[in-house]
Amino acid sequence: MSYTIQNAIAPVEGGYTSVDVHIEGNHIAAIAPQLDPIGTLVDGRDKLLLPGFVNAHTHSSEMWQRGLIPPRPLELWLAELHDFSPVDPEHIYLSALGTAVETLLSGGTTVVDHLVLIPGQEKESIAAAVRAYREVGIRAFIGPLIQDQSLAAGVPSGGHKIEHDPYFWSTEEVLELMRSTVEQFHQPDKGINIMVAPTGMQLCSDALFEGCIELSDRHNLCRHTHLLETKAQQMLAYEKYGCTAVEHLKHLGYLSPRTSLAHCVWLNDHDISILAETQSTVVHNPLSNLRLGSGIAPILKYRQAGVNVTFGCDGSASNDSQDLLEAIKIGTILHNVTDMDYQHWITPRQAVEMAALGGATGVGMADQMGSLTVGKKADLVLYDLKRLSLLPRTDPIGLLVLGRPIAVHTVWVNGKAVVTDGTVTTIDVPQLQQTLFDKSEWQANRRSPSMEDLEMRYRTVMGLPILSNP
């Protein structure tokens, strides 16, 4: 199908210009003023045209615990999350639908889903997410969240010898799951990409990382993982490896231009130089880092060192939203308090480039999307500049990034219009809302046995006072 976007406002060096855009098939065919119209005409007057953003790290199934887990550090938060994870693939399907819709309506055309799998129903979990993303029409990179060590192994020992229960799958069984997943579901031409995505060094053996590297190289897959989200993970890396986690991942060969790393809060200057050298991407998740008390990632240092940085929402139980524009705003202005030199601060235009081209770079598609360039994929978003949150008229991108806009008008993914006049056209969103309501219930003050079992050890290792009545 063909479209002509007429008289849209597009950013250029030093300002903005009015352009027409031809979309033919799945790509941008022309960008110029006053093009001869072809196909369906779209009125771009008083609308800002930008490339689609990438929600570069999330966990869709966490939607079922949105707003529920009280303030806790990651290690204890994870224990409660695992106690109450979905056990029905239909829930995985519904939460992936919701994640896709919220991403689209906040300017994202691509989602990276570090997908939590239901034990015993791993393939069904992946199939459910694939079905959801295909139905909505968003571009998806699905990284099944895999590990080969038990949850308790993710907390430092504090110098004590601790025996952990074995994980219920062997390393080879996990890798075989990934091999069959790639064969069955990896279909980039249909917008579904499988990634290798071990959860992180804290719960994964070297053998698992090495198996993922081999699979990535064989099928040209992107790589993803959590990296040094918390102080406890920094301590654990030294216990396991005698060096930093970044140094160890470089030694294994996991870092590469196809690798994206979520969080990256607790890195030193040498670690940062390694990320620049290996051309790895940092995915900044400012909201979850704040909510879980993980810290403020040194994003300005990354940028000064030449590391590619982009944004992610993280999951809906640690954010608790999939509003990508909110993550971009917080991730842009948060760092003004970390460096007195305002010349290093992130401008709104830089933030937009990080979210679009930076995100495309992180998933190995910078040559195919992420900018308004003839020949690239038509992953595009029109924002209505007459919405109250974007008025009065000043700087359109400044209003979009620094405000609190609800202004998405039209979204194309791979040349297909999936949002029109602010409404997702591919699925029945009101029905999705009703189903999510019907399949959930109001709740609070639940008990998490796993969290309670882990809490005393965590407080001891982290040097916190022991609670007399936890």
Side-chain angles (χ1 to χ4, degrees), residues 54-105:
V54 177
N55 185 356
H57 177 72
T58 191
H59 308 280
S60 62
S61 65
E62 285 183 17
M63 182 173 287
W64 294 97
Q65 300 188 63
R66 171 180 281 177
L68 185 58
I69 303 178
R72 290 197 180 107
L74 173 74
E75 287 74 19
L76 300 182
W77 173 92
L78 269 175
E80 178 163 344
L81 185 80
H82 281 236
D83 275 351
F84 300 97
S85 293
V87 295
D88 181 355
E90 184 68 10
H91 283 70
I92 301 288
Y93 165 73
L94 292 169
S95 53
L97 286 178
T99 296
V101 167
E102 289 190 40
T103 296
L104 287 170
L105 295 179

Side-chain angles (χ1 to χ4, degrees), residues 188-353:
D189 58 326
K190 296 182 179 179
I192 301 296
N193 304 265
I194 299 299
M195 314 171 80
V196 293
T199 182
M201 67 87 201
Q202 67 277 12
L203 296 175
C204 298
S205 68
D206 287 356
L208 183 57
F209 274 108
E210 289 165 347
C212 286
I213 293 167
E214 191 277 331
L215 192 59
S216 167
D217 288 344
R218 191 192 323 158
H219 296 283
N220 196 31
L221 306 176
C222 291
R223 307 171 186 175
H224 191 65
T225 191
H226 296 98
L227 179 62
L228 294 175
E229 185 173 352
T230 67
K231 177 67 174 177
Q233 290 176 7
Q234 182 192 54
M235 295 164 59
L236 181 64
Y238 279 102
E239 283 187 2
K240 291 181 70 171
Y241 312 129
C243 63
T244 72
V246 177
E247 290 172 323
H248 192 70
L249 288 180
K250 179 188 177 184
H251 172 73
L252 293 177
Y254 195 77
L255 304 179
S256 77
R258 297 202 307 272
T259 303
S260 58
L261 307 160
H263 301 290
C264 297
V265 177
W266 293 89
L267 277 65
N268 62 35
D269 289 345
H270 181 55
D271 293 334
I272 294 172
S273 69
I274 290 174
L275 296 190
E277 172 194 338
T278 57
Q279 300 179 57
S280 302
T281 290
V282 168
V283 182
H284 186 28
N285 302 276
L287 286 152
S288 61
N289 292 344
L290 292 171
R291 188 205 195 286
L292 302 177
S294 300
I296 298 177
I299 297 303
L300 300 185
K301 281 189 174 184
Y302 293 137
R303 286 173 49 79
Q304 291 168 56
V307 177
N308 182 55
V309 180
T310 191
F311 299 100
C313 289
D314 210 351
S316 286
S318 66
N319 177 330
D320 294 31
S321 166
Q322 294 300 295
D323 187 333
L324 192 49
L325 283 167
E326 180 184 44
I328 294 168
K329 175 179 178 176
I330 298 298
T332 297
I333 65 177
L334 174 64
H335 307 283
N336 297 358
V337 302
T338 67
D339 188 337
M340 287 292 292
D341 190 345
Y342 54 88
Q343 295 287 352
H344 297 155
W345 297 355
I346 301 169
T347 68
R349 285 204 176 209
Q350 289 169 337
V352 164
E353 184 175 9

